[in-house]
Amino acid sequence: MRGSNKMNIYKKYRKMSGMTQERASEHLEISIDSLKRYEMGDRAPNNELVKKMCILYGDTRLAYDHLCNTFTGELFLEKLDEKSLCTATISVINEIKKFNDKYDKIIEITSDGIIDTSEIGEWTEIETQAKKAIKSFYELIFRR
């Protein structure tokens, strides 16, 4: 994982906060060498340290990006696009509308408590739309 873009998120957020490695490592109560290893991608910080980084750097999106880079996060979390407030808001409204358009189909499919083989295709489309809506909400919450 050395030098991978995945681990460079720690450097990215530190730099965005305007902190030097020396100052950040002091506030995080870790050695400069440890911070350098995280920023080079040699190691990944634990969740507690990432929480401290979020507080210190003033950006909770680091926590989301950190989780995206875990094995579990890679399975369930979408990579977020950088969006302005206006763009992110419009995206949320559009995705909610698209999801609401499937309301009757959701009721129809789930009313019997099971998803029949004949309903799997439509249900997969509903799940995909739900994931798009969730992603758009996160992009709004974590916008810059």
Side-chain angles (χ1 to χ4, degrees):
M1 225 192 256
R2 182 163 171 61
S4 72
N5 287 334
K6 282 185 173 185
M7 291 301 118
N8 286 335
I9 60 172
Y10 309 108
K11 183 176 185 177
K12 170 186 165 184
Y13 286 97
R14 177 186 55 78
K15 285 188 165 259
M16 285 173 33
S17 76
M19 290 203 156
T20 63
Q21 284 182 326
E22 293 79 14
R23 185 165 175 229
S25 63
E26 180 182 317
H27 285 283
L28 295 168
E29 299 175 334
I30 60 172
S31 70
I32 293 174
D33 287 338
S34 290
L35 185 58
K36 285 180 181 178
R37 284 195 297 273
Y38 300 139
E39 292 185 358
M40 295 282 294
D42 293 338
R43 293 181 53 201
N46 64 40
N47 292 339
E48 189 59 36
L49 182 57
V50 173
K51 178 181 172 183
K52 288 180 182 179
M53 288 177 174
C54 290
I55 293 166
L56 181 62
Y57 302 158
D59 198 331
T60 54
R61 180 157 174 182
L62 171 56
Y64 185 93
D65 289 348
H66 169 76
L67 292 173
C68 282
N69 290 325
T70 64
F71 292 113
T72 306
E74 287 176 346
L75 291 173
F76 299 104
L77 298 174
E78 296 284 331
K79 298 287 184 186
L80 302 180
D81 299 321
E82 298 285 336
K83 292 186 176 179
S84 68
L85 174 61
C86 182
T87 305
T89 302
I90 290 169
S91 179
V92 165
I93 292 167
N94 282 334
E95 296 304 333
I96 290 171
K97 183 185 178 318
K98 289 176 190 175
F99 190 77
N100 282 342
D101 289 346
K102 298 188 179 295
Y103 180 81
D104 290 336
K105 188 50 81 175
I106 292 169
I107 298 299
E108 179 184 324
I109 291 172
T110 61
S111 63
D112 61 359
I114 58 168
I115 300 171
D116 294 327
T117 338
S118 62
E119 300 169 323
I120 289 176
E122 289 177 304
W123 186 253
T124 301
E125 287 178 30
I126 291 167
E127 286 179 340
T128 300
Q129 190 56 52
K131 289 175 185 175
K132 287 179 182 179
I134 291 166
K135 178 184 178 195
S136 70
F137 272 105
Y138 277 127
E139 288 169 341
L140 177 62
I141 292 166
F142 294 122
R143 76 194 177 286
R144 298 240 175 323

